[in-house]
Amino acid sequence: MTEVLQKEAALETELVQKAKKAKAAAGELAKADTTLKNKALELISQQLMAEKDFILKENAKDIEAGRASGMSESLVDRLKLDEGRLAEMADALIQLTELTDPVGEVLEHWQQPNGLDMTKVRVPLGVVGMIYEARPNVTVDASSLCLKTGNAVVLRGSSTAIHSNTAIVSVIHRALEQSELPVDSVQLLEDTSREAASAMFKLNDYLDVLIPRGGANLIKTVVADSTVPVLETGAGNCHVYIDETADKDMAIDIALNAKTQRPSVCNSCETILVHEKWAEQHLPELIEALQAKDVKIHGDDKAQQSGSGIIPAEDADWGTEYLAYELALKMVGSVDEVVKHINQYGTKHSEAIISENADSVQQFFTEVDAAAVYHNASTRFTDGFEFGFGAEIGISTQKLHARGPMGLPALTSTKYIIKGNGQTK
Amino acid sequence: MTEVLQKEAALETELVQKAKKAKAAAGELAKADTTLKNKALELISQQLMAEKDFILKENAKDIEAGRASGMSESLVDRLKLDEGRLAEMADALIQLTELTDPVGEVLEHWQQPNGLDMTKVRVPLGVVGMIYEARPNVTVDASSLCLKTGNAVVLRGSSTAIHSNTAIVSVIHRALEQSELPVDSVQLLEDTSREAASAMFKLNDYLDVLIPRGGANLIKTVVADSTVPVLETGAGNCHVYIDETADKDMAIDIALNAKTQRPSVCNSCETILVHEKWAEQHLPELIEALQAKDVKIHGDDKAQQSGSGIIPAEDADWGTEYLAYELALKMVGSVDEVVKHINQYGTKHSEAIISENADSVQQFFTEVDAAAVYHNASTRFTDGFEFGFGAEIGISTQKLHARGPMGLPALTSTKYIIKGNGQTK
């Protein structure tokens, strides 16, 4: 066997082995009632705190390796755990026990004329594959959301977090040993190579769904290469449109919030579209307010004339997700133009209109193609917690299965249960 | 340019051109209310009858070409239209106008503590890509279901039905011209090459979902190669399990119905599993009843001892979808064994237990992983019309988005509409 073939065989062994274990565990998990699942979450919460020193010690190895390899401080910060962050994770597990278990929920129940009794119920998906980047908190997050919904999970984290992830999963396993759920419910791939990830993309026999969490490139690769159904999360090129009739202070407040409250996240605003008539009166004030918050502006001609230090916008700017204190600024003449622009450049995530004109708002709501459309509110609200879901697996930008912030029900499928008394017609 | 490159460029032109038109039409369709959509369906129904001679003349060309190329009579039958079939299609369009329009349905509505008013509504998917085999009725069927749900559609039918499909789509276009919906809502690819189909698989910028309708190979190819999200329909390796406590006559009735009423469809039974204790008393009678209906049996040792003319079952038989008067027959000792067998060999479609034991039924319902699980009824009921949906896009065997028979709501997505008064926190 060549070295490459040996490596491939070894990869397949770990992945397929663990996926098989997860699938077997999924069969048991589907039978577990809410009490057993909540008990397991409590045990994991306790075990995380009981073994916090061990986890922090292992996390320190990742931090050290990261710094040694020149990792940026912002990435180090995403990787780093401390007592406070661990306590938050432990606390989130307890909060999760308080949420309604979607599994078993009766979605529809009816009788057919021939006497068949039909019920549509929520059931677990089965085995969830999770591919994610540096943050080790996703390891706890994904595992606990899957357990709560009766799913087994195969985790493939980043190589930069391998010590942290391995430690956390060993802690989860020690908690599951004390529970009535199968220890095999949570599987972590030790192999963090690209080849191992690629093999996951094709594992349709064992994985029911693949969820990528991370940057645009990761998600793009998974969507392009996976034959396992994907729950696409992520990219957000979100717009705030300030209509002719927008209240000045409200418009500026919302624009500032949408751009600057947390620029690195997908629901932050990347382009502000301004109606020409509103711009005539208020554009300089908007520009000043943004620049006072150190926002770099790529503007069209009118924007450039209305303030200093504005970079001329290029075509590429309309499609750029800056994820920084930076945005594009463009004048528009009508809601028609807004709809056209957003549907061309947007990523179908979150879009806001600031307006006092009901017709404009209605047109925006109907014609803009996005998971969430806002009137007189910030795009920053697109989030499972802000929506009141109590948990979030991610924000779906696809149209099938789940769209927008995904709570626990997004991790379920359905099953028709049909009761008869001998019907053949 | 080489010949191949020239061909590729030409392909892309037709496909991308038509997909762009469909996308533009989808924007208009999303705004159309139920009355306009129903009016268009009525016009199509009338136009189909008004131009029936034209459609039948064009269909005759496909039949002639099919026979000349040695097409089997069963395929010719699938391809053939006549006045009766056209009248059925026209009638189905009128029935569709009577179904509830899912678009605009409010699925959830709540207030957040900060005053945000949150609504989750059903919206069209956008542009549906449909790849299907010989039957020209799918052209009308897919177009009308998409129009009813406010979606545009790009149709890629079989080369063997190209005259029929072209004629039908031209008739649909003439009907749409009289309606208020965009004529471009329905697009048919003239190019029926594999290359054109493959290009559709990657058309994420224009297609929101791809629905394959046809044989197992077509569906497998689409699932494996498409980066556009797929609504998987199709393969059904369905089981009837006759429990120890099953009523003899009911069990034999259901087994016969599930296998012989229409063996060529995905919800027909392919393997009968029989509890050993039931078999001791009734197996010869079951075998006789099946053989009296000319069903060829691939049986295990016990089955071979209980009847004559039984072919020894091989491992491959447990995974075979015969789609014919042919099935596999196997003895089992427990519901555990049944669950294991079905979850290993089944295609997660439809599974039935015939039993008078409530515990066995409950275990079967919980542990068998399938879109539809039946107690004392035939698997043949897995069908949108039998479920009372009034329409069917296909039967989903995947777990995301829709599972089991798909009615009109499966052709919709959702959108969150959020109304505020200036909220930023």
Side-chain angles (χ1 to χ4, degrees):
Chain A
M1 234 194 271
T2 66
E3 205 176 304
V4 171
L5 279 177
Q6 277 173 341
K7 201 177 168 203
E8 276 180 9
L11 286 174
E12 185 171 271
T13 307
E14 191 208 358
L15 174 62
V16 173
Q17 246 174 17
K18 290 189 171 174
K20 278 182 182 168
K21 284 184 187 175
K23 190 169 179 174
E28 295 301 306
L29 277 171
K31 292 184 256 177
D33 66 22
T34 307
T35 313
L36 294 186
K37 293 187 287 190
N38 283 342
K39 184 68 196 160
L41 296 176
E42 278 172 31
L43 288 164
I44 295 171
S45 177
Q46 290 159 13
Q47 200 73 23
L48 276 177
M49 293 318 290
E51 298 201 47
K52 61 177 194 259
D53 293 342
F54 165 62
I55 296 170
L56 295 179
K57 202 186 78 193
E58 294 299 305
N59 180 248
K61 294 181 188 168
D62 288 330
I63 302 292
E64 194 182 340
R67 287 214 168 104
S69 71
M71 185 183 276
S72 74
E73 278 307 305
S74 73
L75 277 181
V76 167
D77 182 62
R78 285 172 57 181
L79 189 54
K80 193 171 169 57
L81 295 174
D82 56 28
E83 292 215 10
R85 287 182 179 182
L86 277 179
E88 275 172 29
M89 285 153 67
D91 194 42
L93 281 155
I94 300 303
Q95 284 172 32
L96 191 54
T97 65
E98 287 154 18
L99 294 184
T100 303
D101 182 355
V103 172
E105 186 192 347
V106 172
L107 297 173
E108 290 167 41
H109 180 211
W110 75 100
Q111 302 270 338
Q112 280 300 99
N114 62 2
L116 285 179
D117 179 272
M118 323 281 292
T119 311
K120 184 180 186 178
V121 295
R122 281 198 193 279
V123 296
L125 286 168
V127 182
V128 175
M130 197 89 195
I131 299 188
Y132 55 106
E133 290 175 344
R135 300 179 192 272
N137 63 310
V138 177
T139 308
V140 176
D141 209 30
S143 302
S144 58
L145 293 171
C146 285
L147 289 173
K148 176 80 186 195
T149 46
N151 293 295
V153 64
V154 177
L155 301 162
R156 193 278 194 186
S158 161
S159 58
T160 58
I162 189 67
H163 293 97
S164 313
N165 289 340
T166 305
I168 290 170
V169 170
S170 75
V171 169
I172 292 174
H173 284 167
R174 284 189 282 280
L176 288 176
E177 273 163 19
Q178 304 164 53
S179 82
E180 312 249 349
L181 303 189
V183 174
D184 283 341
S185 306
V186 177
Q187 298 290 331
L188 174 73
L189 295 183
E190 286 164 29
D191 189 320
T192 56
S193 64
R194 271 173 194 274
E195 292 86 347
S198 297
M200 273 181 92
F201 298 168
K202 310 291 179 191
L203 215 60
N204 297 53
D205 284 346
Y206 300 104
L207 301 182
D208 292 289
V209 59
L210 209 53
I211 306 178
R213 268 178 69 169
N217 277 339
L218 169 69
I219 291 162
K220 212 171 154 185
T221 305
V222 175
V223 170
D225 294 347
S226 178
T227 57
V228 176
V230 174
L231 277 185
E232 187 175 350
T233 66
N237 182 21
C238 305
H239 301 72
V240 170
Y241 164 56
I242 301 176
D243 192 32
E244 178 180 353
T245 59
D247 177 86
K248 183 199 70 177
D249 293 335
M250 188 194 289
I252 293 176
D253 268 5
I254 290 175
L256 282 180
N257 173 273
K259 177 71 264 180
T260 68
Q261 196 204 19
R262 201 172 165 205
S264 63
V265 292
C266 60
N267 58 19
S268 66
C269 167
E270 306 293 3
T271 294
I272 300 178
L273 301 170
V274 180
H275 194 284
E276 287 155 359
K277 297 221 172 120
W278 191 91
E280 277 171 23
Q281 291 195 280
H282 310 301
L283 188 58
E285 196 172 334
L286 173 67
I287 290 173
E288 268 175 44
L290 287 165
Q291 289 179 333
K293 290 271 193 178
D294 291 325
V295 176
K296 195 188 288 182
I297 300 172
H298 301 258
D300 66 3
D301 290 347
K302 172 78 181 168
Q304 291 167 55
Q305 292 154 20
S306 305
S308 61
I310 293 176
I311 307 156
E314 293 169 19
D315 261 6
D317 285 305
W318 314 126
T320 299
E321 202 182 347
Y322 300 103
L323 298 171
Y325 287 89
E326 194 169 355
L327 58 67
L329 180 59
K330 183 185 167 78
M331 305 308 118
V332 289
S334 65
V335 180
D336 279 347
E337 204 181 319
V338 171
V339 168
K340 206 178 155 201
H341 182 96
I342 294 178
N343 288 348
Q344 178 173 358
Y345 295 105
T347 54
K348 303 186 169 79
H349 194 296
S350 301
E351 307 293 349
I353 177 172
I354 319 304
S355 173
E356 299 300 318
N357 179 326
D359 290 343
S360 299
V361 174
Q362 193 49 50
Q363 186 184 353
F364 188 90
F365 279 171
T366 307
E367 300 184 18
V368 166
D369 189 13
V373 285
Y374 291 86
H375 172 222
N376 289 354
S378 171
T379 55
R380 288 277 294 115
F381 289 110
T382 302
D383 173 280
F385 296 93
E386 294 291 346
F387 272 40
F389 296 167
E392 183 190 279
I393 299 110
I395 296 168
S396 163
T397 52
Q398 68 185 24
K399 290 188 179 177
L400 294 186
H401 189 66
R403 198 178 191 200
M406 295 188 287
L408 296 175
L411 285 176
T412 65
S413 182
T414 58
K415 184 190 246 182
Y416 286 106
I417 292 179
I418 299 120
K419 297 175 187 166
N421 47 26
Q423 281 87 344
T424 56
K425 62 187 174 190
Chain B
M1 231 195 274
T2 66
E3 204 176 306
V4 171
L5 279 178
Q6 277 173 340
K7 201 175 167 203
E8 276 180 9
L11 286 174
E12 187 170 88
T13 306
E14 192 209 357
L15 175 61
V16 172
Q17 245 175 18
K18 291 190 171 174
K20 278 183 182 168
K21 285 185 186 174
K23 192 170 178 172
E28 295 302 306
L29 277 171
K31 292 184 257 175
D33 66 20
T34 307
T35 311
L36 293 186
K37 293 188 287 190
N38 283 342
K39 184 67 197 162
L41 296 176
E42 277 172 31
L43 288 165
I44 295 171
S45 176
Q46 289 159 13
Q47 200 73 22
L48 276 177
M49 293 318 290
E51 298 202 46
K52 61 177 195 263
D53 293 342
F54 165 62
I55 295 171
L56 294 179
K57 201 186 78 193
E58 293 300 303
N59 180 248
K61 293 181 189 168
D62 288 330
I63 301 293
E64 195 184 340
R67 287 214 168 104
S69 71
M71 185 185 274
S72 74
E73 277 309 303
S74 73
L75 277 182
V76 167
D77 182 62
R78 286 173 55 182
L79 188 53
K80 195 174 170 53
L81 295 175
D82 55 31
E83 292 215 10
R85 288 183 178 182
L86 278 179
E88 275 173 29
M89 285 153 66
D91 194 43
L93 280 156
I94 300 303
Q95 285 172 32
L96 191 53
T97 65
E98 287 154 17
L99 294 184
T100 303
D101 182 355
V103 173
E105 187 191 347
V106 172
L107 297 173
E108 290 166 41
H109 181 211
W110 75 101
Q111 302 270 337
Q112 280 300 100
N114 61 1
L116 285 179
D117 179 272
M118 323 280 293
T119 311
K120 184 180 185 178
V121 295
R122 281 198 193 278
V123 295
L125 285 168
V127 183
V128 175
M130 197 89 195
I131 300 188
Y132 55 106
E133 291 175 344
R135 299 179 192 273
N137 62 309
V138 176
T139 308
V140 176
D141 209 30
S143 302
S144 58
L145 293 170
C146 285
L147 289 173
K148 175 81 187 194
T149 47
N151 293 294
V153 63
V154 177
L155 302 162
R156 192 280 195 185
S158 163
S159 58
T160 57
I162 190 67
H163 292 97
S164 313
N165 289 340
T166 305
I168 290 170
V169 170
S170 75
V171 169
I172 292 174
H173 282 167
R174 284 189 283 278
L176 288 176
E177 273 162 21
Q178 304 164 52
S179 82
E180 312 250 349
L181 303 189
V183 174
D184 283 341
S185 306
V186 177
Q187 297 291 331
L188 174 74
L189 295 183
E190 286 164 28
D191 189 319
T192 56
S193 65
R194 271 173 194 274
E195 292 85 348
S198 297
M200 272 181 92
F201 298 168
K202 311 290 179 191
L203 215 60
N204 297 54
D205 285 346
Y206 300 103
L207 302 182
D208 292 289
V209 58
L210 209 52
I211 307 178
R213 268 177 71 169
N217 278 339
L218 169 68
I219 292 162
K220 211 171 154 185
T221 304
V222 174
V223 170
D225 294 345
S226 178
T227 56
V228 176
V230 174
L231 277 184
E232 187 175 351
T233 66
N237 183 21
C238 305
H239 300 73
V240 171
Y241 164 55
I242 301 176
D243 192 31
E244 179 180 353
T245 59
D247 176 88
K248 183 199 69 176
D249 292 337
M250 188 194 288
I252 294 175
D253 269 5
I254 290 174
L256 281 180
N257 174 272
K259 179 70 262 182
T260 68
Q261 195 205 19
R262 202 172 163 205
S264 63
V265 292
C266 60
N267 60 18
S268 66
C269 167
E270 306 294 2
T271 294
I272 299 177
L273 301 170
V274 180
H275 193 284
E276 287 155 357
K277 295 225 172 116
W278 192 92
E280 276 170 23
Q281 289 196 282
H282 310 301
L283 187 58
E285 196 172 335
L286 172 67
I287 290 174
E288 268 175 43
L290 287 166
Q291 290 179 332
K293 290 271 193 178
D294 291 327
V295 175
K296 196 189 285 184
I297 301 172
H298 301 257
D300 66 2
D301 289 348
K302 173 75 181 170
Q304 290 167 55
Q305 290 154 21
S306 305
S308 59
I310 292 176
I311 307 156
E314 294 169 21
D315 261 6
D317 285 306
W318 313 126
T320 299
E321 202 184 345
Y322 300 103
L323 298 172
Y325 287 89
E326 195 168 354
L327 59 66
L329 180 59
K330 182 185 167 78
M331 305 309 118
V332 288
S334 66
V335 180
D336 279 347
E337 203 180 321
V338 170
V339 168
K340 206 177 154 201
H341 183 96
I342 294 178
N343 288 349
Q344 179 173 357
Y345 295 105
T347 53
K348 302 187 170 75
H349 194 295
S350 300
E351 307 293 351
I353 177 172
I354 319 303
S355 173
E356 298 301 317
N357 179 325
D359 289 344
S360 299
V361 174
Q362 193 50 51
Q363 186 184 352
F364 188 91
F365 279 171
T366 308
E367 299 182 19
V368 166
D369 188 13
V373 286
Y374 290 87
H375 172 223
N376 289 354
S378 171
T379 55
R380 290 278 294 114
F381 289 109
T382 302
D383 174 279
F385 295 94
E386 294 292 346
F387 272 40
F389 295 168
E392 183 189 280
I393 298 109
I395 296 168
S396 163
T397 51
Q398 68 185 25
K399 290 186 178 179
L400 294 186
H401 189 67
R403 197 179 192 200
M406 296 188 286
L408 296 176
L411 285 176
T412 66
S413 182
T414 59
K415 183 189 248 181
Y416 286 106
I417 291 178
I418 299 119
K419 297 174 187 167
N421 45 28
Q423 282 87 345
T424 57
K425 61 187 172 189

